[in-house]
Amino acid sequence: MAGAERGRTPLVVGNWKMFKTSGEGASFIRDLAEALSGVKDREIMVAPPFTGLYEAAQVAEGTCISIAAQDVFWEREGAYTGEVSATMLADLGVKAAIIGHSERRQYFGETDEWVAKKVCAALDHGLQPIICVGESEEEREAGATAEVLAEQVPVGLSLVRREDAGRVTLAYEPIWAIGTGKTADPGVAQEAISLVRREVADTLGAEAARMTRILYGGSVGPGNIDELMAQPDIDGVLVGGAGLQVGSFSRIVRFEKP
Ligand code: PEP
């Protein structure tokens, strides 16, 4: 049975990474809202850099698009130069935060323990966390995918209260597929995402696993979205490169239902 029939509304998130000025982001959102008029039964988010969040939230107000941040810090305020708290994001009208993206793990030393603290802070301040997990190419080749997920998922969820479980989203993003043009075969993505769901069940219970949306991310584009969304455990996608143009992103959002 597909996620939508289980009450998990499909979610498409565009991660802009370090692209688009505030003005470029605002005009993208205006054009996207127009391109998506009439789209129903799916949730749409874009994640601009911190500098574009205020403008993006203003422009997105009243449209079908909501705004996510690309990261969040776990403290509410304090002497943490360069960091931004969940309270500050919520104050701008931001609805969600991507946490533990592989680029943050790789370039900024983000650990599963940090992810757990950020997830907890996001939930405490009304933001929906989108937790990224996934194995590297070497780990996949070594047959260690299940082992990696069995570490990242429970630790990342370790501070989540059961009553908050429905507000958490996970994104399975195999590192070898991010920005490489090498999408995971839909069957491979389905298999890994079913492992993620099993880890959610073991950590937070079967009901939480039934409610939790799990996205796929890694070179998603107009050419593979329909096949990915036909998989029973894939509840949406996290999109990088193809999320930077209105044409390709709106085609992804308009995926065909199986
Ligand atoms: C990402 O940044 O999370 C991502 C999946 O990027 P891309 O779609 O470009 O592979």
Side-chain angles (χ1 to χ4, degrees):
M1 193 187 273
E5 284 129 50
R6 294 181 186 272
R8 303 190 300 262
T9 305
L11 171 63
V12 178
V13 185
N15 172 17
W16 293 357
K17 312 193 186 200
M18 200 174 72
F19 290 99
K20 298 194 192 295
T21 62
S22 181
E24 287 164 351
S27 66
F28 178 98
I29 292 168
R30 277 190 204 98
D31 293 349
L32 182 66
E34 206 178 305
L36 294 181
S37 70
V39 169
K40 290 194 186 69
D41 311 325
R42 48 204 74 184
E43 246 177 88
I44 305 127
M45 281 184 188
V46 294
F50 283 132
T51 49
L53 289 173
Y54 173 76
E55 184 91 13
Q58 298 285 311
V59 174
E61 179 88 47
T63 72
C64 59
I65 302 159
S66 42
I67 305 301
Q70 296 176 20
D71 191 17
V72 59
F73 191 57
W74 58 80
E75 293 291 347
R76 190 180 185 282
E77 58 185 11
Y80 301 102
T81 302
E83 294 298 330
V84 176
S85 73
T87 329
M88 293 167 179
L89 294 172
D91 177 58
L92 294 181
V94 169
K95 301 290 185 230
I98 298 172
I99 298 176
H101 190 279
S102 65
E103 287 152 14
R104 296 224 50 91
R105 294 175 186 262
Q106 185 181 349
Y107 303 129
F108 304 99
E110 188 128 346
T111 65
D112 291 328
E113 289 71 23
W114 288 21
V115 169
K117 292 196 317 184
K118 290 179 174 194
V119 169
C120 183
L123 289 169
D124 283 350
H125 295 95
L127 297 180
Q128 180 184 328
I130 302 169
I131 310 172
C132 301
V133 297
E135 79 287 359
S136 66
E137 186 149 36
E138 300 75 60
E139 288 164 338
R140 172 153 289 267
E141 275 167 11
T145 300
E147 212 178 297
V148 169
L149 298 175
E151 178 71 21
Q152 290 177 337
V153 177
V155 180
L157 293 176
S158 57
L159 302 177
V160 175
R161 290 180 293 261
R162 280 191 182 219
E163 63 267 29
D164 286 332
R167 294 168 53 212
V168 175
T169 296
L170 283 115
Y172 167 67
E173 298 210 298
I175 298 169
W176 47 271
I178 297 180
T180 58
K182 270 198 247 174
T183 325
D185 174 83
V188 168
Q190 161 61 30
E191 196 185 326
I193 287 177
S194 71
L195 290 176
V196 173
R197 201 173 299 285
R198 203 173 67 203
E199 292 299 333
V200 176
D202 290 349
T203 312
L204 293 173
E207 178 58 13
R210 199 186 59 77
M211 289 188 305
T212 301
R213 287 188 292 196
I214 309 179
L215 315 181
Y216 167 77
S219 298
V220 174
N224 55 26
I225 183 66
D226 296 335
E227 218 188 332
L228 286 163
M229 289 306 298
Q231 303 300 315
D233 274 296
I234 300 185
D235 300 317
V237 284
L238 179 52
V239 188
L244 294 171
Q245 293 83 37
V246 171
S248 48
F249 190 62
S250 55
R251 168 61 186 91
I252 292 169
V253 171
R254 288 180 183 277
F255 67 84
E256 305 275 346
K257 288 197 176 188

